[in-house]
Amino acid sequence: MTKAIKLLTALPQPQRERLMELAHEVSFPEDTRIFEAGGTADRFWVIRSGAVNLDQEVTSHKRVTVASLGAGDLLGWSWLFPPYTWDFGAVAFSQVRAYEYDAAAVLALSVEDPLLGLSLVRTVAEILASRLEITRGKLLDAYVGRRPV
């Protein structure tokens, strides 16, 4: 399994500093729904402390947790890809403190600083690939009972 990639530590120092200029500190109380699948993805967060569960509604009365995120993790990537709507829901599993970023401002900065834009897209792609591998492993464990050798 691959090591979890943290957005802010994966970015080169100059790009991280530029991105941090756009950060706003926010907090979410435990059990707060941060966003819902299908909603407009116009921002993202880097979790500073606490835990967030990503979930998927499988029936009108049942949600399944598909991932748990913690300190340093990127929360939200749908702001980067059309149609800019959340693919999952997110709920604070505990008190959460995070850096919040306005997607339009980050995208504008990425156009102004193409190296930042490229670094950001590559890092988000690595994060998504890692999460896909983790999800694949969970599915194999759940439905096959063991992973292939």
Side-chain angles (χ1 to χ4, degrees):
M1 195 167 296
T2 61
K3 181 181 166 195
I5 295 142
K6 308 297 184 182
L7 177 67
L8 294 178
T9 55
L11 289 174
Q13 182 70 26
Q15 285 72 43
R16 180 175 46 245
E17 288 174 1
R18 297 233 31 217
L19 187 63
M20 286 303 296
E21 292 172 6
L22 300 178
H24 300 282
E25 293 186 28
V26 297
S27 63
F28 301 101
E30 182 177 352
D31 295 326
T32 299
R33 181 144 295 273
I34 300 169
F35 57 83
E36 189 65 68
T40 301
D42 60 356
R43 62 197 62 251
F44 66 97
W45 301 264
V46 174
I47 300 169
R48 296 179 58 216
S49 65
V52 173
N53 286 339
L54 296 179
D55 59 25
Q56 183 69 54
E57 189 173 327
V58 291
T59 70
S60 61
H61 299 354
K62 183 174 180 173
R63 293 180 188 272
V64 174
T65 298
V66 296
S68 296
L69 306 176
D73 285 333
L74 170 67
L75 172 59
W77 51 266
S78 298
W79 61 274
L80 194 52
F81 306 103
Y84 310 108
T85 57
W86 300 117
D87 288 317
F88 302 101
V91 65
F93 184 73
S94 65
Q95 171 76 26
V96 171
R97 292 176 45 218
Y99 293 120
E100 182 177 82
Y101 296 88
D102 176 84
V106 172
L107 291 170
L109 181 60
S110 295
V111 169
E112 176 187 317
D113 182 348
L115 187 54
L116 170 66
L118 180 60
S119 297
L120 189 59
V121 169
R122 282 186 172 167
T123 302
V124 171
E126 287 182 51
I127 291 167
L128 292 176
S130 175
R131 289 187 187 169
L132 182 59
E133 183 178 334
I134 291 166
T135 301
R136 178 182 173 271
K138 286 181 181 180
L139 288 171
L140 285 172
D141 286 345
Y143 293 103
V144 176
R146 64 180 178 85
R147 295 182 192 195
V149 178

